[in-house]
């Protein structure tokens, strides 16, 4: 099989595993009385992202071939997630937080480092076979987002009805969609087992047999923390963490929010309230398309303006959730999904390019690690724990559906207000002179 096709399948499965539950898990947790704990589940992804990728990176560098470690990690993640699904099935509505949270935490502990490992495998295979990674990798990675979308749509439209597996593409009220149950864990687990087997068919990624020791300190990128001595980089990393606060909020709460409209008679039979995951998948479609806009915007406007676009897009993302509904206001939800591509890509991809340009080659990889740690580690963790407090106070403290809906709207306005404050402060504090020619020199 063509090497690039094999890596494309790897990318498709890698993110399909995640897409099967990332945007719909909050809905299931709410259905079993754990809505007040949603933030903890999503925060755990950020916590393990701080240290597990570094540990797995050392193991892949020195002891176990990356493609094999990738497979082993997916196997363990899948086993714990399938176990979580089995527990959810057995417990029914009497799910204990401690048991489900433990199984889920063990699963993401092994899943989160596979994101970096799968990239490492792809880069190594491409380089070893004389492919240009700059040209070859982006289409491969794009299919990862496609896999994420396909998994989202599958758990949205698939379900078990009357003991039989079926699909519901119409607006059938009461259809037992996988997005509302423990079944989404089984879907993700099965994809993980497939990827476990598939990983062992990939070309070998040799380990480093040299005597040079790479310490945990090196892997964590602690040397790159010297960049905080430079005011511009310190400001950039700190605001990256502040913006990272927003990254996982809609993954955790968008589905429960949109689905909650089913409790309001006016919206109970709308397509959007019954197919939240399908509606949210437009965000990933936008993400795929917006990647193509980054080179033009970054070269023309510079990192500061592009980051401001991303920050303001987060304001719109949250604000449109607050004002929209799945009925006559569904266009606001759709627009919120569209601006997500700008909010996510213009921040993550452009920020990564900026770090690449502004740091010395000797610490460039470590600097990227710091950027990811500040955003997906510290930022996302703080964001989900904070969002949980807000949603619990305004939404899950209420029992009346109308009051809960009002609480959701208040919560989204608070998140939008936070994003607006970060935007204004970044515009005032961050100083950077744009040089289009310098930016055009980025080659890796």
């Amino acid at each position: 099989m063509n090497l690039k096709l094999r890596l494309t399948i790897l990318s498709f499965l890698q993110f399909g595993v995640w897409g099967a539950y990332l945007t719909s898990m909050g809905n299931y947790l709410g259905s079993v009385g754990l809505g007040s704990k949603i933030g903890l589940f999503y925060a755990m992804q950020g916590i393990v992202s701080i240290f597990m990728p570094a540990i797995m990176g050392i193991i892949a560098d020195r002891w176990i071939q990356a493609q094999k470690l990738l497979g082993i990690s997916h196997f363990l993640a899948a086993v714990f997630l399938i176990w979580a699904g089995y527990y959810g099935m057995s417990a029914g509505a009497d799910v204990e937080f401690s048991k489900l949270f433990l199984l889920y935490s063990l699963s993401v502990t092994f899943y989160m480092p596979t994101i970096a490992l799968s990239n490492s495998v792809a880069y190594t295979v491409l380089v070893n076979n004389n492919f240009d990674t700059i040209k070859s990798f982006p289409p491969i990675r794009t299919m990862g987002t496609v896999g994420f979308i396909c998994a989202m749509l599958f758990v949205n439209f698939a379900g078990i009805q009357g003991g039989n597996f079926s699909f519901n593409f119409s607006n059938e009220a009461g259809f037992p969609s996988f997005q509302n149950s423990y079944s989404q864990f089984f879907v993700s687990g099965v994809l993980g087992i497939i990827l476990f087997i598939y990983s062992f068919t990939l070309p070998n990624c040799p380990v480093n047999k040299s005597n040079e020791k790479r310490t945990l300190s090196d892997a964590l990128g602690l040397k790159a923390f010297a960049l905080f001595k430079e005011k511009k980089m310190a400001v950039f990393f700190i605001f990256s963490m502040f913006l990272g606060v927003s990254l996982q909020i809609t993954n955790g709460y968008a589905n429960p929010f949109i689905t909650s409209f089913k409790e309001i008679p006016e919206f109970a039979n709308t397509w959007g309230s019954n197919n939240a995951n399908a509606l949210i998948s437009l965000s990933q479609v936008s993400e795929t398309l917006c990647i193509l806009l980054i080179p033009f915007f970054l070269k023309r406007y510079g990192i500061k303006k592009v980051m401001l676009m991303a920050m303001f897009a987060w304001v719109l993302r949250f604000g449109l959730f607050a004002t929209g509904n799945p009925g006559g206001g569904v266009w606001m939800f759709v627009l919120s999904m569209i601006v997500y591509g700008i909010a996510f890509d213009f921040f993550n991809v452009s920020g990564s390019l900026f770090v690449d340009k502004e740091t010395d080659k000797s610490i460039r990889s470590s600097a990227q690690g710091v950027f990811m740690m500040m955003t997906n580690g510290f930022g996302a963790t703080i964001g989900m724990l904070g969002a949980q407090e807000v949603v619990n106070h305004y939404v899950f403290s209420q029992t009346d559906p109308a009051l809960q809906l009002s609480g959701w709207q208040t919560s989204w306005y608070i998140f939008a207000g936070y994003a607006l404050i970060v935007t204004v402060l970044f515009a005032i504090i961050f100083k950077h002179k744009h040089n289009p020619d310098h930016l055009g020199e980025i080659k890796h």
Side-chain angles (χ1 to χ4, degrees), residues 17-40:
V17 169
W18 211 13
Y21 69 85
L22 184 65
T23 61
S24 53
M25 180 174 63
N27 219 29
Y28 166 63
L29 295 175
S31 71
V32 293
L34 297 179
S36 63
K37 306 293 187 181
I38 290 174
L40 288 174

Side-chain angles (χ1 to χ4, degrees), residues 204-443:
N204 289 332
C205 300
V207 297
N208 181 9
K209 294 295 185 180
S210 70
N211 293 323
E212 179 183 353
K213 293 185 178 181
R214 189 186 183 200
T215 66
L216 182 59
S217 175
D218 292 334
L220 287 171
L222 297 183
K223 291 181 180 179
F225 275 94
L227 290 169
F228 278 85
K229 296 178 181 179
E230 301 177 35
K231 181 179 178 181
K232 180 174 68 175
M233 294 306 296
V235 170
F236 178 80
F237 281 132
I238 291 171
F239 272 97
S240 293
M241 182 183 71
F242 287 157
L243 192 53
V245 166
S246 302
L247 288 179
Q248 292 290 345
I249 293 176
T250 49
N251 284 336
Y253 290 111
N255 198 310
F257 162 62
I258 296 174
T259 303
S260 71
F261 279 92
K262 291 197 295 185
E263 303 300 321
I264 308 298
E266 179 184 354
F267 304 107
N269 294 315
T270 57
W271 187 89
S273 65
N274 287 282
N275 295 278
N277 234 32
L279 188 58
I280 296 168
S281 71
L282 295 175
S283 298
Q284 276 63 47
V285 174
S286 174
E287 178 189 334
T288 304
L289 298 176
C290 284
I291 291 177
L292 304 176
L293 301 176
I294 290 175
F296 169 78
F297 277 88
L298 201 54
K299 186 171 180 64
R300 184 178 181 89
Y301 299 108
I303 185 64
K304 181 172 182 176
K305 291 182 179 178
V306 168
M307 291 286 283
L308 284 171
M309 291 178 193
M311 291 176 177
F312 188 68
W314 279 111
V315 177
L316 291 176
R317 168 75 160 171
F318 296 137
L320 288 166
F321 269 139
T323 54
N325 62 66
V330 71
W331 65 272
M332 296 185 192
F333 282 173
V334 173
L335 186 57
S336 178
M337 309 308 168
I338 293 173
V339 301
Y340 175 81
I342 297 174
F344 186 85
D345 288 334
F346 278 32
F347 166 54
N348 279 277
V349 180
S350 298
S352 178
L353 284 171
F354 176 75
V355 171
D356 182 82
K357 179 175 74 69
E358 294 293 325
T359 55
D360 184 82
K361 184 178 180 180
S362 63
I363 60 169
R364 194 164 289 161
S365 295
S366 296
Q368 293 290 348
V370 173
F371 177 65
M372 294 301 292
M373 187 184 297
M374 295 297 285
T375 55
N376 292 282
F378 293 119
T381 301
I382 294 169
M384 285 311 300
L385 294 177
Q388 177 176 270
E389 292 300 314
V390 172
V391 174
N392 285 354
H393 178 75
Y394 288 102
V395 180
F396 294 121
S397 63
Q398 307 291 335
T399 55
D400 180 78
L403 292 177
Q404 285 192 336
L405 181 57
S406 176
W408 277 119
Q409 293 168 335
T410 300
S411 299
W412 293 121
Y413 278 128
I414 291 173
F415 302 147
Y418 168 81
L420 182 60
I421 292 172
V422 172
T423 303
V424 173
L425 290 176
F426 183 79
I428 296 172
I429 297 174
F430 183 69
K431 308 294 182 183
H432 178 70
K433 186 176 181 180
H434 176 48
N435 185 341
D437 295 330
H438 187 192
L439 186 64
E441 294 172 2
I442 294 177
K443 300 296 182 186

Side-chain angles (χ1 to χ4, degrees), residues 34 37 41 87 95-105:
L34 297 179
K37 306 293 187 181
F41 280 80
Y87 170 68
V95 173
E96 292 183 27
F97 164 73
S98 58
K99 292 181 179 179
L100 185 64
F101 184 69
L102 175 61
L103 292 170
Y104 168 79
S105 297

Side-chain angles (χ1 to χ4, degrees), residues 43-90:
M44 181 54 66
Q45 294 183 158
I47 292 171
V48 299
S49 293
I50 295 173
F51 60 90
M52 279 303 294
I55 293 173
M56 289 297 188
I58 292 176
I59 295 173
D61 281 345
R62 300 192 60 82
W63 295 300
I64 302 177
Q65 293 175 341
Q67 84 282 357
K68 293 181 179 179
L69 184 60
L70 176 69
I72 294 169
S73 297
H74 270 293
F75 175 76
L76 292 171
V79 166
F80 286 119
L81 201 59
I82 290 174
W83 192 350
Y86 179 77
Y87 170 68
M89 179 176 65
S90 303

Side-chain angles (χ1 to χ4, degrees), residues 100-122:
L100 185 64
F101 184 69
L102 175 61
L103 292 170
Y104 168 79
S105 297
L106 290 170
S107 178
V108 296
T109 295
F110 290 103
Y111 174 79
M112 296 309 292
T114 65
I115 298 175
L117 279 174
S118 65
N119 287 342
S120 178
V121 169

